[in-house]
Amino acid sequence: MYRTHTCGELRISNAGQSVTLAGWVQRVRKMGGMTFIDLRDRYGITQLVADENESKEVKAQVEKLGREYVIQASGVVTERQSKNPKIETGDIEIRLSDIRILNASAVPPFTIEDESDGGEDLRARYRYLDLRRGPLKKALLHRHKMAWEVRNYLSSIGFLEIETPYLIKSTPEGARDFVVPSRMNPGQFYALPQSPQTFKQLLMVAGYDKYFQIVRCFRDEDLRADRQPEFTQIDCEMSFVERDDVLDTFEGLIKSLFKNVLGKEFGEPFPRMSYADAMEYYGSDKPDIRFGMKINDVTAKVQGKNFSVFDSAEYAGAICVPGCAGYTRKQIDELTEWVKRPQVGAKGLIWIRNAKEGIKSSIDKFFTPEELSALAQGMGALPGDLILIMAGGKKKTRTALGALRLEMGNRLGLRKNDVFAPLWVCDFPLLEWDDETGRFYAMHHPFTAPKPEDMDKFFSDKKEDLEQVNANAYDFVLNGTEVGGGSIRIHDAKVQERMFQVLGLTREDADYKFGFIINAFKFGAPPHGGIAFGFDRFCALFDGQETIRDYIAFPKNNNGRDVMLDAPSYIEKEQMDELFIKSTAPAASTAPAASAEEGKN
Amino acid sequence: MYRTHTCGELRISNAGQSVTLAGWVQRVRKMGGMTFIDLRDRYGITQLVADENESKEVKAQVEKLGREYVIQASGVVTERQSKNPKIETGDIEIRLSDIRILNASAVPPFTIEDESDGGEDLRARYRYLDLRRGPLKKALLHRHKMAWEVRNYLSSIGFLEIETPYLIKSTPEGARDFVVPSRMNPGQFYALPQSPQTFKQLLMVAGYDKYFQIVRCFRDEDLRADRQPEFTQIDCEMSFVERDDVLDTFEGLIKSLFKNVLGKEFGEPFPRMSYADAMEYYGSDKPDIRFGMKINDVTAKVQGKNFSVFDSAEYAGAICVPGCAGYTRKQIDELTEWVKRPQVGAKGLIWIRNAKEGIKSSIDKFFTPEELSALAQGMGALPGDLILIMAGGKKKTRTALGALRLEMGNRLGLRKNDVFAPLWVCDFPLLEWDDETGRFYAMHHPFTAPKPEDMDKFFSDKKEDLEQVNANAYDFVLNGTEVGGGSIRIHDAKVQERMFQVLGLTREDADYKFGFIINAFKFGAPPHGGIAFGFDRFCALFDGQETIRDYIAFPKNNNGRDVMLDAPSYIEKEQMDELFIKSTAPAASTAPAASAEEGKN
């Protein structure tokens, strides 16, 4: 072992001990005849002191040191004269008696500090150096702890972690598969799993009862910001359960994470909200309930006053923004522009300033002050609040109001990242009608069960009935982000058959697409359901961050590239020949000639 | 929840309770007016009893039951008249008051019993049914526990589990890569990792100090029996360590597994054996030390007696088989045939029966009884032992003797699968000379460090010196199977440069093949080393089994196929077009027309 202690370990109580540390040189400072070295490892920073009068050898070594040199240093733990309260080892320093350079370092292309001077791309290329920085170290430690707690909790309540294969079969539904040509089965391909959905249902058929897995999933999608082609899921499934059993179980998991990772106790059950309520009051299927500012349906109250914007609208909704009655015209205009951006897509914004000195609005022409006051009071507005109203199609207007609500929450600082508001959203519609193809599609997937109380409607032939059937599905939402989702699955062959019928699939269609699992279900499938959490995002959110990239050791960029590895890359023609494939890419489609030559060795 | 208890839970102390169970019908037996149902779930089997005189409804349901039906059953826990000591719930039964069929089952294609009547292929196709059988359930539970203990132990001593990517860069060295065409980077391919070797070394460069991961690895090799194209590894790496630090750390892990999984305490340190000794005494680099029967070099003792087989041989070696002096001529002939098989490849077998009634051998013509006795005594043979001798080239003869030793161990029942003999094998040769290409190859990989004491020889220009350099590498061997292997890595640029030189690589070669990691090593690589364990095999061996397939939920067959999924499979032309590839397979290279048609939906 190259060290007796780590760089985060020594305290005043160790004073007088002879120790050996090893780590990276963070900083070297000379003051008079003394040299101070900050030595860093995973655990912290410890100050080393070399007195040039004491040892020529030490002095000679110290003079060679540069940033990020790896050294081994021995000496005596000594109380510092000027203590540093910012670091845990700040009471002591090591008086060097020996120092050995284990490895030199080239000058790193950016500073290894909490706030680095390196741009994103440069840091990505030297990810192994970026990973030395405090925030990333903290992020990966946090992720380790999260994974550990998940496994600990689920194992403690009888869940088994079972590994499922990564080389599976390509299926024609869902997102695009990544595929893997098979050398031993010419012309055939494996696919990488988009999720272990099929396998976890098979494990229920096999009687495994309580399954989980922290598992990699793969989707070949056009990447949006902060999406990764490979991502990690906490994948779970249980048998002999109903919806509330699943929610209670995983609420237990999440509470244990809050407690053991963040030290936060959640005594009360997490709120459960229907999809319908989420849309009505928050204009979103993933409400951020860290703050109120709910959407009010004011349609009935505002129509019939000869204001055509309202009178011609299917719906009018309003939010009451606390304490913002003092917004200037300019501020309101700017907000109006904000809601008109294509991302929100509203036509305009109507405002009512419920100021202490009197009510004032952009619709004074159509409404008396009394009418406006009544409207404000109906929403529970307090003096000093600003009411913002939108009107139009119901769905679109609610969504726009939802976006505006979040924006006002941001502006008012109501979305603090150390406040956590977990929420279950339930009772999603089972089916979605598509006008273009004139058929229903499954909102989740065709194995999601209808709610038991909607079964009659599910077997009805009326489109209106079918549109009202709710799925026995649920999402876990944290601070306005969907972190998990799942459902009770269909285990009854008659219900499954009806589902395929509703989706317009013939028996042959169904067999071709899902034959494999349909077949398994003939041999005694138990009632079952499950959930999957996006682990990368869960880690980030729990740590109060929004970007997942810091929580992945070696992430890919928005083009799906690993810029550190420079992957993907061209491969050799020989390699393709063996796999019975040929590139049809327009440009250079094989490794450069010289390289291919080398590769033959 | 469909149940109040599991089928493995109820005891005599629960007598009188009203309970509800859910599970699969294992067996239905009628006796008089009573029907006995064995109900099975993950946790065990509980007997249900329906009395036809008590409830018409129950009787009607019971009559519909068949094997593997899924039912929910309620009743009162009652003490059995004839107890079944073979099962944990054998003291009680449930007097049924209510029974509900949750799902019917088709007749399974083989019996769901510990010993099934289904052939291997049939069971593979219906893996989800095979997984219901006791031995497989036990195997997956065991695997879960192993994984859990590994994570628990390593986390408790400061290791971080860090996930590394699965979509990486293809490298021209080592086994064949599985590759993944990139849609977003036309003509380019990702590779699936053969191991996270590069990433774990980068994590050390990044300062993560103690890393582990239970991780999937992929190798596109021609499959031997019991090899899988995807397999799981416990991958580990540490910084600021020397060899013994690594061995001590992972000896701690393995001891904790022995203790917590098997209840076996290993007080003593595991033996550590040099590669040279392993080859000399066991004719193998992975000795099974559950039994002795070591190989004796008898070359000097047997030469010069005018027996040309010995006199012309480079080497003669012998094992002393306890208590087998009574072997008949036929038995010995049969053994001789056994060693002549191509798998062993020996030319013949010489025997000495050290019988109580006198010594006798196949070389009586050349040796006096006194000489034979001296030979036997020199090997520590006891009266009643059989000595078996082979002669020839040293390496080949030792290996053949090693194989014979294992065979005799098997025949004598010395290789019990509930006895565990762990062993570290160390000091492997660093380099292997290849006569054909006239150059050295790295026995492990080019980043494996030479042993510190062999550094002078490593920088010598003499081939004989280089051949004597040992690697700072080690294998973990359990009961004659290599379960883990690793090494201290090179962190010194001069040593690395010398290694490339010895391997005949120019600087350009080295940069092309390993440039990426060489570059990372310029920025302060710490001394580091690690190990990786084959987790599938580890699980099987720990459970006293040899075949790994039972320890993998969804394994592939020897052609790399998942016969349950029927993967790999043909994909659609559209899918290939999007990926800029074309199949060059001779036969049908796309999905059958009808299927492709369906797939468009």
Side-chain angles (χ1 to χ4, degrees), chain B residues 392-449:
Chain B
K394 189 169 183 173
K395 199 175 161 189
K396 222 181 132 184
T397 305
R398 277 179 174 176
T399 305
L401 276 163
L404 178 63
R405 174 182 171 270
L406 291 179
E407 175 64 13
M408 296 317 295
N410 282 335
R411 293 187 182 202
L412 295 177
L414 301 174
R415 306 181 71 192
K416 296 193 172 68
N417 65 7
D418 58 347
V419 172
F420 294 92
L423 171 70
W424 293 108
V425 178
C426 304
D427 301 349
F428 291 85
L430 181 72
L431 301 161
E432 223 169 3
W433 180 262
D434 183 56
D435 275 329
E436 209 172 300
T437 51
R439 57 162 270 205
F440 278 112
Y441 284 84
M443 275 270 281
H444 284 72
H445 54 66
F447 298 100
T448 298

Side-chain angles (χ1 to χ4, degrees), chain A residues 433-445:
Chain A
W433 181 262
D434 182 55
D435 275 328
E436 209 172 300
T437 53
R439 55 161 273 204
F440 279 111
Y441 284 84
M443 275 269 283
H444 284 72
H445 54 67

